[in-house]
């Protein structure tokens, strides 16, 4: 290892997930690489996805789009989900980005700046971004994509999914010949009738399951690992870490691991988090601190310099997120900037 805490990104697994999502959905995948590709590194991930055939990408912010354009060069279409904020049209155009317009104000801003290739978001019930179907603009020059977003795609039993799908199909009839993009990761697995013309997955590309739990069809992509800095024998009655968060009722062997909440080991792992170390899953004990966490390795041959895995092939991302009381999306995007990103493939 070249740093105490490392996020290893398996680009071959990323590519495999991309192909799986195209096969399952039956339509082209337009990868979502917002938030630095969910923390994995937008530049490296988007380059590999482009090499696999991806021609269209989504980011959230204009600034993310500018960076992605610099990384990918001219060619791929890059849509900005924020749309075109007041005074921002010049930057969007300069980087040849395509805003996903969400409001009449955004449409006016984009048109006043000369317009050009762009998308429109229809709000089919999430009440987050986009035009209500009744307020959506008619077709206009430059419009080349219409999208909507599912609120409950990770729950196939949720009746809202079909309602949103039908509302989207109806709204999109207004834009004949325009590419229709509907399904995120979860949506791809809801059935081919959720596919429309192109999908927009994020989390399943990066190794999360479509329903918030591990799925055999999705390969792990990211591994967060850290070195053991010190191993100590803690006598009965002693405590470990801040606020005496753990009290040893019997003698324990404790490994201090070089990853804390500044690295993405959420404080909410206390007291249920598990770490793969010494060939088994072992409990995080006491409070996670900023730079380190303590792991109970009683009875194991664990030594300084050994590697502990917070998530990866031995500790599935979705399971790790569940014990931290969160979701894979938040866990990945919480991996801090000081963690070294390393790429395989
Ligand atoms: C983040 C996002 C996605 C990707 O969602 P996943 O659940 O990660 O696949 C797709 N579309 C929109 C509008 C988003 O904001």
């Amino acid at each position: 290892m070249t740093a105490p805490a490392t996020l290893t990104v398996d680009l071959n697994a990323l590519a495999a997930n991309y192909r799986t999502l195209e096969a399952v959905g039956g339509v082209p995948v337009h990868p979502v690489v917002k938030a630095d590709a969910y923390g994995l590194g937008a530049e490296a991930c988007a380059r590999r996805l482009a090499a696999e055939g991806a021609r269209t990408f989504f980011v959230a912010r204009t600034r993310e789009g500018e960076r992605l354009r610099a990384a990918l060069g001219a060619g791929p279409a890059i849509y900005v989900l924020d749309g075109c904020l007041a005074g921002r049209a010049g930057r969007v155009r300069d980087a040849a980005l395509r805003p996903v317009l969400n409001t009449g104000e955004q449409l006016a801003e984009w048109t006043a700046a000369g317009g050009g290739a762009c998308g429109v978001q229809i709000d089919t019930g999430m009440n987050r971004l986009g035009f209500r179907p009744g307020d959506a603009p008619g077709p206009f020059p430059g419009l080349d994509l219409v999208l909507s977003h599912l609120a409950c795609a990770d729950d196939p039993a949720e009746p809202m999914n079909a309602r949103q799908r039908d509302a989207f199909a109806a709204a999109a009839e207004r834009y004949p010949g325009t590419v229709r993009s509907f399904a995120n990761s979860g949506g791809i697995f809801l059935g081919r009738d959720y596919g429309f013309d192109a999908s927009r997955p994020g989390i399943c590309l990066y190794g999360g399951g479509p329903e918030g739990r591990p799925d055999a069809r999705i390969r792990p992509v990211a591994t967060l690992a850290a070195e053991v800095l010190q191993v100590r024998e803690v006598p009965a009655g002693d405590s470990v870490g801040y606020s005496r968060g753990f009290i040893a009722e019997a003698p324990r062997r404790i490994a201090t691991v070089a990853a804390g909440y500044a690295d993405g080991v959420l404080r909410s792992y206390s007291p249920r988090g598990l770490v793969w170390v010494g060939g088994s899953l072992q409990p995080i004990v006491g409070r996670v601190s900023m730079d380190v966490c303590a792991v109970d390795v009683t009875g194991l041959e664990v030594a300084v310099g050994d590697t502990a895995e917070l998530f990866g092939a031995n500790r599935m991302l979705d399971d790790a997120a569940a014990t931290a009381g969160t979701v894979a999306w938040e866990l990945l995007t919480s991996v801090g900037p000081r963690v070294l990103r390393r790429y395989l493939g």
Side-chain angles (χ1 to χ4, degrees):
M1 231 191 263
T2 49
T6 309
L7 186 74
T8 304
V9 178
D10 181 346
L11 295 172
N12 292 331
L14 174 76
N17 289 340
Y18 170 82
R19 291 190 293 268
T20 297
L21 293 169
E22 281 210 336
V24 172
V27 294
V29 163
H30 293 173
V32 176
V33 295
K34 63 191 180 187
D36 203 24
Y38 293 30
L40 275 56
E43 202 171 314
C45 291
R47 281 211 182 111
R48 178 56 185 268
L49 291 164
E52 295 296 318
R55 292 286 166 270
T56 300
F57 295 85
F58 285 89
V59 294
R61 306 273 117 87
T62 304
R63 187 172 161 72
E64 293 175 338
E66 289 169 339
R67 290 186 172 176
L68 189 63
R69 176 60 74 210
L72 293 180
I78 302 172
Y79 287 92
V80 178
L81 291 165
D82 277 354
C84 183
L85 306 185
R88 216 67 67 80
R91 275 177 58 192
V92 173
R93 287 174 67 88
D94 288 348
L97 307 175
R98 304 181 184 191
V100 177
L101 303 171
N102 294 303
T103 65
E105 291 73 25
Q106 291 193 354
L107 173 54
E109 179 89 18
W110 186 238
T111 308
C118 65
V120 154
Q121 175 155 203
I122 307 290
D123 173 15
T124 52
M126 194 170 186
N127 282 309
R128 193 174 71 163
L129 288 172
F131 293 90
R132 292 278 173 98
D135 304 330
F140 58 90
L143 178 64
D144 59 8
L145 177 101
V146 55
L147 73 80
S148 190
H149 193 46
L150 284 158
C152 311
D154 58 346
D155 180 6
E158 170 57 56
M160 185 167 168
N161 292 327
R163 286 204 301 275
Q164 286 193 269
R165 176 200 60 200
D166 296 345
F168 180 60
E173 276 176 20
R174 206 153 172 201
Y175 312 102
T178 304
V179 173
R180 300 164 303 167
S181 168
F182 187 58
N184 64 336
S185 296
I188 291 170
F189 291 84
L190 292 176
R192 287 278 171 108
D193 49 336
Y194 286 78
F196 293 90
D197 304 318
S199 65
R200 250 178 13 255
I203 196 69
C204 281
L205 288 169
Y206 309 119
E211 295 179 30
R213 56 172 181 269
D215 185 300
R217 293 165 292 187
I218 298 300
R219 284 175 55 180
V221 173
T223 302
L224 179 62
E227 273 180 43
V228 173
L229 296 173
Q230 193 170 350
V231 180
R232 64 196 330 111
E233 307 298 332
V234 174
D238 262 27
S239 61
V240 175
Y242 286 120
S243 309
R244 308 192 73 212
F246 174 79
I247 297 176
E249 281 169 12
R252 310 307 293 174
R253 185 151 212 257
I254 300 295
T256 303
V257 171
Y261 55 77
D263 306 291
V265 183
L266 302 187
R267 212 166 162 278
S268 56
Y269 272 114
S270 330
R272 280 162 314 179
L274 297 174
V275 169
W276 178 264
V277 61
S280 63
L281 282 176
Q282 297 299 124
I284 294 178
V285 294
R287 304 271 192 278
V288 174
S289 52
M290 189 183 292
D291 310 313
V292 297
C293 60
V295 180
D296 188 341
V297 294
T298 306
L300 297 178
E301 293 297 315
V302 170
V304 170
D306 282 1
T307 296
E309 181 183 310
L310 281 305
F311 55 75
N314 299 299
R315 176 60 174 159
M316 295 300 277
L317 177 67
D318 289 296
D319 293 334
T323 52
T326 186
V327 291
W329 293 258
E330 187 180 31
L331 204 56
L332 283 184
T333 54
S334 297
V335 176
R338 76 178 173 190
V339 175
L340 179 79
R341 269 70 171 171
R342 208 163 63 98
Y343 296 93
L344 306 177

